[in-house]
């Protein structure tokens, strides 16, 4: 028999129809079996490879190939065995017949699973697959097929109807539930995850219990594959994403800002009332001029009848610093000022008075976000001395020539 060549055909889709249109229309492969010589034997055609090559121009952005290698051709040997058995008159021919039946069942199973894999691969080429993965459905169908094949093979071996086996298996229902517990839980969890849009391919999720903190690569019947930021892979049981808590950072990625919430501790000993010279100095700042002019006029009316500093209200360096930083953040183009932003005091403690910066970066990308956050606190630490403020540090004492903190 002469060798055969398989030529893949590009099929161009001229419409923007849906997924099933592509499967039914665009994915029809024309297998061109071209002989190396003009004449070849037409009785038995046994190509080694069938290739389906598709390129819908308006739906699939990238070219992809789906190969079904030797699967259809693998049906020929069992069918040939059936034909051969018809010419055999051996007394125990029924044994060979059962083995051929089992052979055909297993080959058919492999063909169907290859078709399911091809369908899943084609579906994954569409953007909707990230939001609505069908991997766990495909795996559930495979589990069902494997179960049916096992029952059928056993029924062929013992020459009994599959109904008898199913009736017998019903007595072991509790055992079967234990065996397929993960499959059942995974299927139910997959339905909930998909219908409630709880997780998608490409989402950044965090689940500390399973040491998972990274991007979702795959959602299947049993596990969710997560690539952590250190490039390791964590496998999280699918049902745990429903029964236990996890963090999905998709909301942050889709929002117009990423939160910055960080504090710097101020040494309380450096807090004081502003002197006249300091008021004049800060009034020269474009960020503070209007505020100081307004406060000076307001405090002048409040303090005009006060005779002691204990009764007066005065500006403080830490108060002016808080207002300055709020105005500075307002003018920062890297901050989304349409979202909540403030500079606030937290509860003082043994490490001083925390001043917290609360705002949202206009850029969510991790590296740039860290740069924006660092720039804010670089400026804070550099400008603090201008306000007479100091960052809290543990003081060291020297006793007997030894350093004791």
């Amino acid at each position: 028999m002469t060798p055969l060549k398989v030529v893949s055909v590009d099929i161009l889709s001229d419409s923007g129809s849906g997924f099933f249109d592509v499967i039914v229309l665009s994915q029809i492969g024309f297998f061109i079996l071209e002989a190396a010589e003009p004449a070849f034997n037409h009785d038995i055609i046994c190509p080694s490879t069938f290739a389906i090559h598709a390129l819908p121009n308006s739906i699939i952005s990238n070219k992809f190939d789906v190969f079904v290698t030797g699967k259809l051709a693998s049906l020929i040997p069992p069918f040939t065995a059936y034909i051969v058995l018809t010419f055999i008159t051996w007394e125990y021919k029924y044994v060979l017949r059962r083995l051929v039946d089992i052979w055909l069942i297993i080959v058919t199973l492999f063909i169907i699973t290859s078709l399911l894999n091809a369908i899943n691969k084609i579906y994954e080429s569409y953007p909707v697959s990230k939001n609505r993965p069908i991997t766990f459905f495909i795996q559930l169908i495979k589990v069902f097929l494997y179960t049916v094949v096992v029952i059928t093979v056993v029924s062929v071996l013992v020459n009994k109807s599959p109904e008898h086996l199913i009736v017998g298996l019903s007595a072991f229902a509790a055992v079967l539930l234990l065996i397929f517990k993960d499959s059942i839980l995974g299927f139910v969890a997959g339905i909930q995850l998909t219908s409630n849009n709880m997780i998608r391919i490409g989402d950044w999720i965090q689940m500390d219990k399973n040491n998972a903190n990274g991007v979702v690569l795959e959602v299947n019947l049993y596990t969710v594959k997560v690539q952590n930021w250190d490039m390791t892979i964590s496998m999280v049981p699918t049902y745990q994403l429903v029964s236990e808590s996890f963090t999905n950072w998709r909301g942050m990625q889709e929002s117009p800002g990423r939160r910055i919430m960080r504090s710097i501790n101020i040494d309380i000993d450096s807090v004081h009332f502003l002197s006249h010279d300091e008021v004049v100095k800060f009034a020269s700042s474009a960020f503070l001029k209007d505020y100081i002019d307004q406060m000076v006029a307001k405090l002048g009316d409040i303090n005009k009848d006060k005779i002691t500093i204990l009764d007066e209200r005065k500006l403080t360096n830490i108060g002016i610093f808080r207002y300055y930083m709020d105005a500075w953040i307002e003018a920062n183009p890297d901050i989304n000022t349409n979202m909540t932003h403030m500079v606030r005091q937290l509860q003082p403690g043994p490490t001083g008075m925390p001043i917290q910066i609360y705002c949202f970066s206009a850029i969510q990308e991790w590296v740039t976000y860290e740069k924006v956050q660092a720039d804010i606190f670089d400026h804070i630490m550099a400008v603090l001395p201008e306000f007479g403020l100091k960052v809290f540090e543990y003081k060291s004492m020297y006793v007997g020539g030894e350093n004791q903190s």
Side-chain angles (χ1 to χ4, degrees):
M1 183 173 60
T2 57
L4 301 176
K5 293 190 298 182
V6 179
V7 180
S8 65
V9 179
D10 286 348
I11 306 170
L12 299 179
S13 173
D14 56 356
S15 65
S17 58
F19 171 70
F20 291 103
D21 293 335
V22 177
I23 296 298
V24 175
L25 299 177
S26 302
Q27 300 298 329
I28 298 176
F30 295 93
F31 302 105
I32 303 176
L33 305 178
E34 182 180 352
E37 296 179 3
F40 63 97
N41 186 2
H42 290 269
D43 294 334
I44 299 178
I45 298 177
C46 186
S48 61
T49 303
F50 291 110
I52 304 174
H53 184 70
L55 179 58
N57 59 350
S58 62
I59 300 177
I60 301 177
S61 58
N62 296 321
K63 198 173 182 180
F64 66 93
D65 294 325
V66 179
F67 294 100
V68 182
T69 306
K71 297 300 181 183
L72 296 179
S74 61
L75 284 173
I76 295 177
F79 281 123
T80 304
Y82 270 117
I83 296 174
V84 173
L85 285 176
T86 59
F87 299 100
I88 296 177
T89 58
W90 184 36
E91 179 182 359
Y92 299 102
K93 183 177 69 173
Y94 68 90
V95 176
L96 296 177
R97 186 62 176 264
R98 292 178 187 177
L99 294 177
V100 173
D101 288 339
I102 295 172
W103 186 6
L104 181 61
I105 292 171
I106 294 175
V107 169
T108 304
L109 173 65
F110 288 159
I111 293 175
I112 295 176
T113 54
S114 297
L115 178 62
L116 291 174
N117 292 336
I119 292 174
N120 189 42
K121 184 175 181 63
I122 293 171
Y123 181 77
E124 286 179 348
S125 66
Y126 294 86
V128 69
S129 64
K130 292 185 176 181
N131 301 337
R132 296 288 187 270
I134 63 170
T135 304
F136 52 88
F137 290 112
I138 297 295
Q139 290 182 335
L140 184 67
I141 295 174
K142 288 182 181 179
V143 170
F144 174 75
L145 290 175
Y146 293 149
T147 305
V148 171
V149 166
V150 169
I151 294 175
T152 306
V153 168
V154 173
S155 66
V156 170
L157 286 175
V158 300
N159 196 25
K160 296 290 185 181
S161 172
E163 295 179 2
H164 295 85
L165 293 177
I166 294 175
V167 171
L169 289 175
S170 62
F172 298 96
V175 177
L176 291 176
L177 287 177
L178 290 176
I179 294 175
F180 294 104
K181 182 192 70 171
D182 291 339
S183 299
I184 297 172
L185 291 176
F187 174 70
V188 175
I191 294 294
Q192 291 179 319
L193 291 174
T194 303
S195 60
N196 296 327
N197 200 19
M198 296 171 62
I199 194 171
R200 303 174 185 170
I201 304 297
D203 280 357
W204 170 14
I205 68 170
Q206 181 177 350
M207 195 172 190
D208 295 333
K209 177 181 178 180
N210 295 87
N211 296 320
N213 185 7
V215 178
V216 175
L217 298 181
E218 181 182 347
V219 180
N220 58 45
L221 184 61
Y222 302 102
T223 59
V224 174
K225 183 187 291 185
V226 180
Q227 184 175 47
N228 300 314
W229 298 119
D230 59 0
M231 306 311 292
T232 58
I233 301 294
S234 294
M235 307 300 291
V236 181
T238 306
Y239 63 85
Q240 283 192 5
L241 293 176
V242 175
S243 62
E244 300 180 13
S245 63
F246 71 97
T247 302
N248 190 331
W249 294 90
R250 186 202 314 155
M252 177 274 296
Q253 293 174 326
E254 295 178 349
S255 71
R258 183 171 180 177
R259 187 177 68 175
I260 296 174
M261 187 174 66
R262 183 179 290 184
S263 303
I264 187 168
N265 292 344
I266 303 298
D267 189 343
I268 295 179
D269 292 338
S270 64
V271 178
H272 62 263
F273 290 125
L274 292 183
S275 65
H276 176 72
D277 293 339
E278 287 177 319
V279 171
V280 174
K281 170 187 173 182
F282 294 138
S284 63
S285 169
F287 291 133
L288 297 173
K289 184 178 186 305
D290 292 342
Y291 174 73
I292 288 181
D293 290 344
Q294 176 185 356
M295 290 303 298
V296 167
K298 179 180 178 180
L299 295 178
D301 293 337
I302 294 175
N303 296 331
K304 61 183 179 180
D305 296 328
K306 304 295 188 301
I307 58 175
T308 173
I309 192 174
L310 297 177
D311 298 334
E312 294 180 354
R313 285 184 56 188
K314 287 191 172 184
L315 296 173
T316 62
N317 59 343
I318 196 169
I320 288 293
F321 170 74
R322 284 190 294 106
Y323 186 88
Y324 165 80
M325 282 307 305
D326 195 51
W328 187 87
I329 289 173
E330 182 81 27
N332 191 330
D334 294 328
I335 302 300
N336 188 338
T337 56
N338 294 323
M339 303 180 74
T340 303
H341 60 282
M342 59 182 167
V343 179
R344 61 174 183 165
Q345 286 185 12
L346 300 181
Q347 178 69 33
T351 57
M353 177 179 291
I355 299 295
Q356 185 184 78
I357 305 298
Y358 188 100
C359 59
F360 288 82
S361 168
I363 305 170
Q364 293 92 337
E365 193 271 325
W366 189 10
V367 175
T368 307
Y369 161 79
E370 292 293 345
K371 291 180 180 178
V372 171
Q373 186 171 230
D375 287 344
I376 293 175
F377 283 86
D378 289 348
H379 181 78
I380 289 176
M381 288 183 285
V383 82
L384 276 178
E386 299 296 327
F387 292 86
L389 295 170
K390 296 180 180 180
V391 177
F392 178 85
E393 294 179 320
Y394 285 105
K395 296 180 173 61
S396 298
M397 297 183 298
Y398 290 86
V399 180
E402 294 183 358
N403 185 5
Q404 297 183 357
S405 298

